[in-house]
Amino acid sequence: RLVRMTESLLWFHKLCRQQVSAFNSDIVPSTGFLHLAHRSAAKILALPVASVMVALCGVFGDPSHTASASEEKEMRTPVGSDYIKTRRVISEIYSESFNFQDEQNHPSYDAILEVWHAVHCIDLLFGAFDDKKSSSFVAVADRFSDEKKRGPFLPLIVVRVLGKLADVLLLCHVSEGGPSAPAAKHVGKWAESYAKITETVGSRLDGLMCRAYRFLHGFYIISDPSTSTWVPDAVFIPENTAAAAHLYRCVRRKLSKKRSVQNAILTCIGAAIPPLRETEKSKCIRKYIFESGTIEEDVSRYENVDGYDISNQFPVWVLNEKDDTDFIHDGEDEGYIVARGLCKLWTKGMMPTLGTVTSEKAIGSYLPEEERSSENNSEERENIIQLHTTVSKKVRAIITDLCYSPKNYEGWFTAAQCFNELSAIICDRLDHFHDYFEDSKFSPSACDETDDGCVWPVEELQRRMKLEYENQYQTTVHALCSDLSVFLNFPWASFTSLKKMSLELKQDQAECVNGIVQGVSAYPTFEKIRSLYNSGELSSWQQAWGGQFVSAFRTMADRCLCMSHHLAREEGVDSDELCSIKEFIATHVYSKIQGGVKYGYPLASLPDEAKFRLAICSENLFQQCINLNDADDDPDNEECGLTGVPKWQLYFMLGKSQEKKSSAFRSEMTFVGKPSLYSIYIIQALESYEKSLLEAKRVDKISALDLKQGGSSNGIIEVIYRLHATRLKVLLRSINFHADDRIAAEMEGLAVVENYWFDKSEVERTCPNYPKEEYKERLWFVLSDIVAAMAHCRQERPFFHRSVFRHAQALLWAPIFFDPDDDNNWRLMGCVPPTKSLMLRGMNSGGPSPNSSIAVMQLLFDKKRAQICSVWVTTPPIPSPFEMINDSTRKYTALRSKYTSAFIELNRLCNRTEPLKTLISWIKLIPRDLPSFYHITANNHGGNPKNPHSKDSLLIGVGYNWSSRRMANSSIADIILRQANYLDEESTNKQLQEYLRDTYDCFRRMNVSTDEIASLNYKMTVEIEALLRICLLLFKDLPPFNVGIKPMIEFAILKCRELFQAKEAKKRKSLTKAESGQQKCSKISPSSDRKMVHQPADLITRQSNNDHEANDPPQSGLSQAGAKSRKRSFEVVIPDLPAGSHFHVKVTVGNFERRVKLRVPEASESKRLRFSLDIPEDST
C-alpha cells in the first residue's frame, strides 16, 4: 500500500507540475474551461502533494527503520549493476568520489545511501517552488488551523524530516568510530561536523534546512548571495523543544567555526525551550547580582581604590563547588542541553548594538506582545526597545551560565559589559543634568572672580567635601525595588513598559513601605515619581526613572567586574587577560567622573569627594596595568602592549586620572612656600603626560602610529595637546584668584608649569633674560609657549579640533594675563602691547583680543556641516581606553556644545550678528538630538514629535539644538540691546527700524505666545527686553511698564506687523509679477569676461525653510554638440530678497543664451554674486 501510494503521489505530482506549467505559460491551449479549472486545482494541490511526499521521505529517518550494523550485514544483497548505477547517479549529483565496492564494509552503508536518496528527493521537491510559494499557507480543514501558529506547511515538514535524517547521519558517524572519545564535548547527534563519508550530503541537507528556517523564522543562518532578498510576511518560533533542538544543532554545524551567532537566532531558539531549573547555587548568585538591599553600600564601595576586590556579600562557598561539566551525556534532556548551549553562545557573541540588532520584522515576533503592538512608539524608541530586549536576553543567558559555572571570569566580564552598555544607552538619551553652554568657562565673563569665601585651607576644604559627600548619599535613593532584575524586564524607552513597571512596584507594598535605605524611605520617593506622571510632567517622570535604571545597571556592572577581577587573579590567568580586565575597570571608573552626575533619585552633581575617590581608583588600576606591561619581557609586545594598548596610552590615561584627582582641590587656598594638594596632584599628571610623550615618540620611531584624523586617534598630537592644555588650565586657575591671593597662586602655577616646555630651544635662549623676581614676564613667556604648542597641533593635524578651542581661549585671556587688575570692561575687549602680542601666534597687534580669538575659533565653523562644527568620532574596532571614553554621544555632544558656545560668545563680544543668524539657520536644518527627542516625545507618550525642533519654544527645552539656538538668539538680542543703549531720540528712523526688525526676528524665533510671556511675571528674557527697548525709542505711545508686560508685547507685535507687512506685501507683489512673466529677464552684456547686472532678476522663487542646498552649479556643456567652449565669469547684483531665496538671470553672449538659477547667499557682506558658465568660443 505504501508503494502504491507513493507511485500515485509521484504521478499526481508530475501532473500538477505539468498543469501548473501550462497555466503559467503564455500559450493558452484550446482545451476549454474544464482544463483551466484543472490547472487551477493543480496549482493549489501542488504544495500539499509535495509536502506529503517529503513526509514519506522521513521514513528513512525513523530509528526503528534503521537496522543495526549486524542486521544490515546479514540482509545486504549482492551488488548488482542496477544497484551500482543508482548509487553512482546519486554520487555524481553530489560530486562525491565514492568506491561502492570498497565502502560496502562500512557498518551503516545502506542507511547512508537511503539518506542520500531521501535528501535528493526533498531537494527536488522543495526546490521546485519559489520563495513566495514555499512560504505560503495551505488552506485546508480546520484541524490544521494551528498552522498559523507553527508556520508554513512545506518548510515545517521539511525541517522535521531533514532534522531526523541529520540525526541518522550523525549517529552513523558514531558507529563509524567518530569523535566518541571521552575528551569530546559533542558526540552523536550533537556533533558539530559530519563524518567524511557524509560531508557532502550533510552539507546539502543543512543547506536545505537553512532555506526552510528562513521561511519559518525570518533569518539567514549563513549568508548566501545566490538566495533572493525576499522576506516572509510573518515569523514563528519552533513548535516544541525537539524542533528547537534541531535548529540549535543545525546552527552549531553551520557556524561551528564562527565565534558569534546572530542574536535573532539565539532569541528564536530560546523562546521555545523551558527555563533551566533553579538550584541553591544559582539562587545565591542571582541574589548577589540583583539584590538591591546593599546597593547604597556598593555604590560607595566601588568608589574606593580597593572596591573591586571580592565583596563580602558574595557567597564564597559556590566557588568551592565543582562546576557543572560541559560534556554531553546520552541520558540528558534535550531542553537542558540546548539551554546550556545557548548560554555559551550568548556569552561568546558580539555585543549587540543599534547597527547589529536584527530588523524589527525579524525580531518583533520574539518581543513581548505589548511591545509589538505598540504603534505609538517612534522608530527611534522601537529600535532602543529592541536593543534593550536583546542585550537583556544576552545578559540573562550569561548569568544562567554563571549559575552552573561561577568560576568563569570571562562570563562575569561579559555580563559587566552588557550592564555597562545598557546604562550607556540610557545616559546618552537623558536630559543633560549640566548645561554644557551655561557651564562653559571659555571667556572671562563666564568665569566670575573667585571670592574669599570660595577658597579654603586644605583642612577646611576636605571637611566640606566629606560633609557634602555624606549629605548627598543620605538624600539619594539608588533603587526603588528589592530585585534589580526588574530593570531588565522593562525597557526604559517604552512608555508602556515604564507604566507597567510602576504598577508592578506599587503592588509590592511590603517591600516599598518597609524599604529603608540608609535612613531614606523608598516608598515616598516612589510616590514622588508617580506624582510627576499624574501631574502631566511626563518628561520629568521619564528622567526620574532613567536615573534609577542607570544607577541599577552600573551597580550590577560593578558587582560583575568585581567577581571577574577576583577570579582572574585567583586563577592566575595570563598577564594580558588580567591587564585587559584592569583596563576596562579603570576606564569604566573614569567614565563615571566624566559626566559629573550622581545617578539615582534625585539626579545631582557628583560631589568633589566622589570624584576624588573615583580618580584614585582609576589611577591605581592604570598604574597596575603599566606595571604588568613593564614586567612583560616579550619583545613582540614592546610596541602594542600586552592587550594591544601601547604603554604610552596607559600613561596618558594615568595622567588624566591624576588631573581629575587634582580638580577636586581647585578651590584650595594657596600659601607661599607651602605646596598645595592641587599642585602636587597636577604635577603628577604632567609627569605622566611627559612619560606618555616620550614613550609615544620612541614607539613612533620604531613603527609609525596608527592615526585616524579628526577623531580620538591622533597619536602623539593628543599627548602634546593634553600636556600643554593642562598647563593652560593651571594658569587660568591662578589668574582667577582674588587680588589678595593671586600673587601666591600665580607663583605656584609658574612653579608647576615651567618644567614642561614645548619649545625647549627657545626656552634656553630666552629664559635667562627673565629673572625669578619678574614672574609676570615669565608667565607671559609660558603663555606664548602654550600658544605655540596649540598652533603646532593644528598645523600637524588639520582635523585636530581640541587645540583650536584652547588656542582661542589663550588669546582671549591674554589681556588678563598681561594686567589682571584692570576693570571688567577692559578685560572683555582688552588689548596687549605690540611687543607682547608678537609673542603669541595669532594675536593681532593692538586689536581687541576677541577679534584675534574668533579668527582662530571660526576654523571649526568655516562651512555648513551636519554636526555644525568640525568634530568627528573615529573609533577603531578595538579602541583604547582613551578612545572608549570619547566614543559616546554624551562626550560628542559636550565637545560640540563647548565649541559652539565659545563661537557664539566670541561673536557676541565682537558685536557680529550675521554669523549668529547663519548659525541658527544651520542648526534648524540638522536632525533633533537624542536628549531633545526623548524630552519632546515624552509629552506624546513616546510618539513622534508633532513639530520640527525649529518650532520648539526657547523658554523651556533641552539638548544641543535647543541650547545653541537659545544662546545664539539671545546673543543677537544682547548685541542689539547694548548698541541701543548708545542710541538717543535723534537716531535715524531707518537705523531704529533695522534694529526693530532684528529684535522682532529674535522674538519670533522664541516661538512663544503672549500668555507664556505674561506668565514670566516681569522676568523678561533679553529678546523681550531688546524688543521693548527699541519700541520705546521708536514709538512714543508704547504702554507704560506698570500696565503689565503682556499689553506692551502685544503693542510691539502689532506695530511690527504694521511696519513690516507693507514691505512684505510689496515683495510678494513683485514675486507674483515675476512669476507671471510681466518683467523681462535681466540680460548680461558680453562686453567683458566679468559682467554686471544692475536690475533685479525676472523670476524669483522663495525657498522653504527646509531647503538647505547650496547654489545650483552653473550649467556646463556646450550650446551645440562638438563646439569648443571656454569658462567665463559673470557678476550680478543680489536682489533685495531673503537669504536662501532663488532667482533667475538670463545670460546673452552673441547668439548664445542661457537661463541660470542662483540663490541669495547666507550672511554675505558683498552685494554682488559671481558665477561661471561655459561659453562657446564662436559666440560674438
Side-chain angles (χ1 to χ4, degrees):
R1 292 180 181 179
L2 185 61
V3 172
R4 292 179 180 178
M5 179 182 177
T6 305
E7 290 177 349
S8 300
L9 288 170
L10 284 171
W11 173 84
F12 195 76
H13 181 262
K14 291 179 181 179
L15 177 64
C16 290
R17 295 302 303 164
Q18 292 173 0
Q19 294 287 351
V20 170
S21 299
F23 180 73
N24 292 331
S25 175
D26 295 334
I27 303 175
V28 181
S30 58
T31 52
F33 175 76
L34 183 61
H35 286 75
L36 182 61
H38 288 171
R39 289 194 298 273
S40 300
K43 188 175 183 180
I44 295 173
L45 293 175
L47 194 65
V49 170
S51 300
V52 175
M53 296 179 67
V54 171
L56 289 175
C57 295
V59 175
F60 297 111
D62 188 358
S64 62
H65 174 76
T66 306
S68 63
S70 58
E71 292 174 348
E72 286 181 353
K73 190 172 183 180
E74 294 177 358
M75 295 187 298
R76 183 160 304 154
T77 56
V79 180
S81 59
D82 293 339
Y83 188 88
I84 295 175
K85 182 179 180 181
T86 304
R87 274 39 175 190
R88 184 172 292 113
V89 170
I90 297 296
S91 176
E92 291 174 356
I93 291 173
Y94 290 97
S95 303
E96 181 80 16
S97 57
F98 186 65
N99 190 327
F100 296 98
Q101 296 291 344
D102 296 341
E103 296 294 342
Q104 288 187 53
N105 295 325
H106 192 280
S108 302
Y109 177 79
D110 284 342
I112 294 174
L113 291 180
E114 289 175 354
V115 172
W116 278 38
H117 276 290
V119 171
H120 181 56
C121 179
I122 295 173
D123 190 3
L124 295 175
L125 293 168
F126 194 32
F129 301 96
D130 58 14
D131 291 347
K132 185 176 181 180
K133 184 65 176 177
S134 299
S135 61
S136 60
F137 293 96
V138 180
V140 289
D142 293 339
R143 58 181 176 172
F144 296 103
S145 60
D146 61 342
E147 179 190 14
K148 293 293 183 181
K149 300 178 181 179
R150 299 183 179 181
F153 193 67
L154 179 58
L156 190 65
I157 297 299
V158 167
V159 296
R160 287 178 180 175
V161 173
L162 291 179
K164 292 184 177 181
L165 294 177
D167 292 346
V168 171
L169 291 178
L170 292 168
L171 292 172
C172 292
H173 184 22
V174 174
S175 63
E176 179 191 1
S180 56
K185 292 184 178 181
H186 305 288
V187 297
K189 60 184 180 182
W190 301 97
E192 296 182 357
S193 61
Y194 292 98
K196 185 176 181 180
I197 188 175
T198 58
E199 278 182 353
T200 304
V201 65
S203 176
R204 184 58 184 167
L205 184 150
D206 287 341
L208 292 172
M209 291 186 74
C210 291
R211 181 171 182 253
Y213 282 133
R214 182 164 65 92
F215 300 141
L216 290 172
H217 310 306
F219 49 69
Y220 290 91
I221 296 179
I222 54 173
S223 300
D224 187 0
S226 64
T227 58
S228 66
T229 57
W230 179 83
V231 178
D233 296 330
V235 292
F236 308 87
I237 63 174
E239 52 185 327
N240 50 38
T241 303
H246 283 305
L247 174 57
Y248 170 77
R249 290 194 287 267
C250 180
V251 170
R252 292 301 299 262
R253 292 193 298 270
K254 298 298 292 185
L255 304 177
S256 59
K257 296 182 180 180
K258 293 188 177 182
R259 177 175 174 79
S260 60
V261 181
Q262 297 178 40
N263 297 321
I265 298 177
L266 302 178
T267 303
C268 177
I269 300 174
I273 59 174
L276 289 171
R277 62 188 181 276
E278 286 286 348
T279 63
E280 191 65 28
K281 183 166 62 174
S282 65
K283 291 178 181 178
C284 291
I285 291 176
R286 293 183 189 278
K287 182 179 179 181
Y288 166 74
I289 297 174
F290 295 127
E291 186 182 21
S292 65
T294 61
I295 187 172
E296 305 292 333
E297 179 184 344
D298 287 345
V299 169
S300 178
R301 188 170 70 86
Y302 292 125
E303 292 175 352
N304 294 322
V305 64
D306 57 347
Y308 288 91
D309 294 331
I310 190 168
S311 172
N312 295 330
Q313 285 77 30
F314 186 80
V316 184
W317 65 268
V318 302
L319 300 178
N320 300 325
E321 296 282 326
K322 185 179 180 181
D323 287 354
D324 291 355
T325 178
D326 290 337
F327 299 107
I328 294 176
H329 304 286
D330 296 335
E332 289 182 322
D333 178 54
E334 277 192 337
Y336 173 80
I337 298 174
V338 174
R340 290 295 311 278
L342 283 181
C343 294
K344 299 288 184 186
L345 292 177
W346 274 113
T347 305
K348 295 179 181 179
M350 299 295 292
M351 181 64 63
T353 61
L354 276 177
T356 58
V357 169
T358 317
S359 64
E360 181 181 351
K361 179 174 286 188
I363 199 172
S365 296
Y366 316 128
L367 292 177
E369 184 65 29
E370 60 272 11
E371 298 300 341
R372 295 204 309 269
S373 60
S374 178
E375 299 179 356
N376 191 40
N377 283 332
S378 61
E379 183 179 358
E380 157 66 18
R381 286 183 179 267
E382 286 289 351
N383 292 336
I384 297 303
I385 291 170
Q386 292 180 9
L387 180 59
H388 182 282
T389 304
T390 306
V391 178
S392 297
K393 289 178 179 177
K394 179 181 178 69
V395 72
R396 284 185 179 279
I398 295 171
I399 293 173
T400 301
D401 184 64
L402 290 173
C403 291
Y404 291 88
S405 304
K407 296 179 183 179
N408 181 13
Y409 72 93
E410 292 180 339
W412 288 102
F413 183 75
T414 308
Q417 288 180 310
C418 292
F419 287 124
N420 198 47
E421 176 70 15
L422 289 170
S423 67
I425 292 171
I426 299 175
C427 284
D428 288 341
R429 288 157 178 79
L430 286 176
D431 301 351
H432 298 141
F433 182 78
H434 298 288
D435 191 337
Y436 298 132
F437 286 79
E438 295 293 339
D439 294 344
S440 175
K441 303 297 181 183
F442 175 76
S443 69
S445 59
C447 299
D448 296 330
E449 193 176 72
T450 308
D451 298 325
D452 286 335
C454 296
V455 293
W456 300 274
V458 63
E459 296 81 6
E460 177 64 17
L461 179 60
Q462 289 176 326
R463 188 189 68 81
R464 288 173 175 269
M465 289 168 55
K466 187 175 181 181
L467 182 63
E468 179 192 12
Y469 179 81
E470 293 174 351
N471 289 339
Q472 189 184 87
Y473 273 89
Q474 289 176 359
T475 57
T476 302
V477 177
H478 294 88
L480 292 173
C481 54
S482 58
D483 185 5
L484 298 181
S485 64
V486 70
F487 296 107
L488 293 175
N489 301 334
F490 300 98
W492 172 82
S494 169
F495 258 64
T496 304
S497 69
L498 281 183
K499 287 186 288 186
K500 287 190 65 177
M501 184 181 71
S502 179
L503 292 175
E504 183 175 306
L505 294 180
K506 181 173 175 56
Q507 292 173 0
D508 193 7
Q509 292 290 335
E511 281 97 0
C512 289
V513 176
N514 298 325
I516 306 297
V517 183
Q518 289 191 0
V520 180
S521 177
Y523 184 70
T525 304
F526 173 77
E527 286 299 318
K528 288 180 183 178
I529 296 177
R530 250 180 23 102
S531 65
L532 294 174
Y533 183 87
N534 296 333
S535 61
E537 300 178 45
L538 301 182
S539 178
S540 300
W541 176 75
Q542 175 186 255
Q543 180 88 347
W545 280 120
Q548 291 289 299
F549 273 78
V550 175
S551 176
F553 287 142
R554 283 190 170 182
T555 301
M556 290 186 282
D558 285 330
R559 291 171 178 175
C560 294
L561 286 173
C562 175
M563 286 305 304
S564 177
H565 186 224
H566 170 75
L567 292 172
R569 289 188 307 171
E570 292 296 319
E571 294 180 10
V573 299
D574 295 338
S575 298
D576 56 343
E577 293 288 339
L578 182 59
C579 187
S580 177
I581 295 173
K582 289 181 180 291
E583 285 176 9
F584 184 86
I585 297 176
T587 308
H588 169 72
V589 173
Y590 184 88
S591 65
K592 294 181 182 180
I593 314 175
Q594 259 190 323
V597 180
K598 186 68 177 177
Y599 290 97
Y601 186 84
L603 293 178
S605 295
L606 193 67
D608 287 338
E609 179 69 19
K611 293 180 182 178
F612 180 69
R613 295 184 181 187
L614 289 169
I616 291 178
C617 181
S618 177
E619 174 194 16
N620 183 269
L621 289 166
F622 278 122
Q623 185 62 59
Q624 292 177 22
C625 295
I626 294 173
N627 295 338
L628 288 173
N629 278 269
D630 290 338
D632 181 60
D633 55 358
D634 189 351
D636 295 337
N637 297 331
E638 185 178 1
E639 299 175 20
C640 60
L642 282 171
T643 62
V645 178
K647 192 163 64 174
W648 69 267
Q649 292 195 13
L650 296 177
Y651 275 119
F652 183 71
M653 287 304 301
L654 177 66
K656 288 181 69 67
S657 300
Q658 292 164 339
E659 186 178 351
K660 290 293 184 183
K661 189 172 61 172
S662 68
S663 65
F665 294 89
R666 62 189 178 278
S667 299
E668 180 186 0
M669 186 178 294
T670 58
F671 299 95
V672 178
K674 180 182 178 181
S676 63
L677 286 180
Y678 173 84
S679 64
I680 293 173
Y681 294 144
I682 204 68
I683 288 175
Q684 293 176 358
L686 291 171
E687 288 177 351
S688 297
Y689 291 146
E690 190 172 44
K691 290 179 182 178
S692 174
L693 182 58
L694 295 175
E695 180 69 17
K697 289 180 178 179
R698 185 186 67 82
V699 174
D700 192 46
K701 289 181 180 179
I702 301 174
S703 62
L705 298 176
D706 182 22
L707 307 178
K708 291 180 174 61
Q709 300 223 356
S712 302
S713 307
N714 291 280
I716 297 176
I717 294 298
E718 290 282 1
V719 189
I720 295 175
Y721 161 76
R722 181 58 57 185
L723 174 62
H724 300 288
T726 304
R727 296 172 69 203
L728 178 61
K729 292 178 185 178
V730 174
L731 295 183
L732 291 175
R733 172 184 176 270
S734 63
I735 208 71
N736 266 301
F737 272 79
H738 192 270
D740 297 336
D741 303 318
R742 189 182 303 124
I743 295 178
E746 288 178 340
M747 293 295 291
E748 183 183 70
L750 276 174
V752 170
V753 302
E754 274 188 322
N755 296 323
Y756 308 94
W757 297 96
F758 169 68
D759 190 353
K760 294 184 178 180
S761 60
E762 184 70 15
V763 173
E764 295 174 355
R765 184 178 65 85
T766 313
C767 261
N769 299 330
Y770 299 124
K772 291 186 178 181
E773 293 77 13
E774 299 180 6
Y775 73 94
K776 284 292 184 182
E777 299 293 334
R778 290 162 49 206
L779 187 147
W780 191 264
F781 188 73
V782 171
L783 181 64
S784 67
D785 183 73
I786 294 172
V787 170
M790 298 297 106
H792 169 79
C793 293
R794 184 70 176 185
Q795 184 178 2
E796 290 295 315
R797 296 284 180 269
F799 293 98
F800 188 72
H801 48 80
R802 301 175 191 271
S803 61
V804 176
F805 176 83
R806 293 300 176 188
H807 187 180
Q809 187 180 32
L811 297 181
L812 184 63
W813 282 75
I816 303 171
F817 282 107
F818 179 73
D819 188 0
D821 295 322
D822 205 340
D823 57 43
N824 191 50
N825 292 331
W826 193 93
R827 290 175 65 182
L828 293 179
M829 297 297 292
C831 307
V832 295
T835 56
K836 299 296 182 182
S837 62
L838 289 175
M839 299 176 64
L840 304 181
R841 182 169 179 175
M843 191 73 183
N844 294 330
S845 177
S849 62
N851 292 343
S852 302
S853 182
I854 199 172
V856 176
M857 197 66 202
Q858 67 185 4
L859 296 175
L860 301 180
F861 299 85
D862 55 343
K863 63 180 180 180
K864 181 165 58 178
R865 295 181 175 89
Q867 71 274 26
I868 299 302
C869 55
S870 55
V871 180
W872 298 272
V873 175
T874 54
T875 305
I878 305 178
S880 67
F882 176 65
E883 291 161 341
M884 285 180 63
I885 62 175
N886 286 283
D887 186 22
S888 68
T889 305
R890 302 183 302 284
K891 182 62 177 179
Y892 181 67
T893 302
L895 284 175
R896 289 201 301 161
S897 302
K898 184 169 68 172
Y899 300 159
T900 306
S901 62
F903 180 71
I904 295 173
E905 175 68 10
L906 288 173
N907 279 283
R908 187 186 69 83
L909 294 176
C910 296
N911 295 327
R912 298 173 57 183
T913 59
E914 291 303 319
L916 296 179
K917 295 177 183 178
T918 303
L919 180 67
I920 292 175
S921 66
W922 289 354
I923 296 170
K924 287 182 178 180
L925 302 176
I926 64 175
R928 189 187 292 272
D929 53 281
L930 288 177
S932 173
F933 179 85
Y934 278 82
H935 175 82
I936 293 297
T937 56
N939 298 323
N940 197 23
H941 292 270
N944 286 313
K946 297 180 180 179
N947 298 313
H949 68 85
S950 59
K951 301 296 182 182
D952 293 346
S953 171
L954 291 186
L955 288 179
I956 301 176
V958 298
Y960 169 80
N961 296 355
W962 179 85
S963 298
S964 54
R965 285 197 303 116
R966 181 196 61 179
M967 185 176 182
N969 197 56
S970 62
S971 296
I972 294 173
D974 181 70
I975 293 171
I976 298 173
L977 186 62
R978 284 188 284 111
Q979 292 175 343
N981 291 330
Y982 297 98
L983 298 177
D984 51 25
E985 297 180 355
E986 297 180 359
S987 300
T988 61
N989 190 57
K990 183 178 179 181
Q991 186 179 11
L992 287 174
Q993 287 188 9
E994 290 178 356
Y995 284 152
L996 182 63
R997 174 178 284 278
D998 287 340
T999 55
Y1000 182 54
D1001 289 341
C1002 289
F1003 172 77
R1004 293 175 63 186
R1005 282 191 289 263
M1006 290 180 66
N1007 299 318
V1008 294
S1009 63
T1010 55
D1011 292 333
E1012 291 176 312
I1013 295 173
S1015 65
L1016 297 176
N1017 195 19
Y1018 291 100
K1019 294 180 180 179
M1020 294 185 296
T1021 62
V1022 66
E1023 294 92 339
I1024 299 174
E1025 185 180 354
L1027 178 62
L1028 295 180
R1029 171 65 175 163
I1030 300 299
C1031 288
L1032 184 63
L1033 294 174
L1034 196 60
F1035 308 111
K1036 303 303 180 182
D1037 53 345
L1038 181 71
F1041 192 74
N1042 57 5
V1043 301
I1045 190 172
K1046 183 176 180 180
M1048 299 175 69
I1049 288 295
E1050 290 176 345
F1051 175 85
I1053 294 173
L1054 181 63
K1055 287 294 184 180
C1056 290
R1057 288 176 178 174
E1058 292 176 355
L1059 185 62
F1060 302 126
Q1061 272 184 350
K1063 294 184 178 180
E1064 292 179 359
K1066 183 178 179 181
K1067 197 170 293 183
R1068 284 196 298 268
K1069 185 177 180 180
S1070 65
L1071 288 172
T1072 305
K1073 289 182 179 180
E1075 292 173 357
S1076 60
Q1078 295 180 9
Q1079 296 182 0
K1080 295 183 179 180
C1081 290
S1082 303
K1083 294 188 177 182
I1084 299 180
S1085 172
S1087 58
S1088 64
D1089 287 343
R1090 290 182 57 189
K1091 311 300 173 186
M1092 236 5 188
V1093 175
H1094 300 285
Q1095 298 178 0
D1098 70 322
L1099 188 57
I1100 303 171
T1101 306
R1102 241 180 223 285
Q1103 188 184 32
S1104 65
N1105 290 333
N1106 294 329
D1107 188 1
H1108 56 277
E1109 298 176 358
N1111 276 330
D1112 294 346
Q1115 300 179 12
S1116 60
L1118 303 177
S1119 57
Q1120 298 177 0
K1124 295 183 178 180
S1125 64
R1126 64 190 181 95
K1127 190 177 291 293
R1128 302 177 67 177
S1129 62
F1130 302 89
E1131 199 171 86
V1132 297
V1133 176
I1134 301 176
D1136 185 17
L1137 293 174
S1141 300
H1142 285 159
F1143 64 96
H1144 287 73
V1145 295
K1146 186 175 182 180
V1147 180
T1148 302
V1149 181
N1151 56 359
F1152 173 82
E1153 290 188 358
R1154 175 67 54 81
R1155 180 170 292 193
V1156 182
K1157 182 181 178 182
L1158 301 175
R1159 180 187 174 206
V1160 178
E1162 300 278 358
S1164 175
E1165 297 180 357
S1166 174
K1167 299 298 182 182
R1168 298 183 178 92
L1169 182 65
R1170 186 183 303 175
F1171 63 95
S1172 300
L1173 281 179
D1174 289 327
I1175 306 298
E1177 291 185 352
D1178 56 358
S1179 297
T1180 57

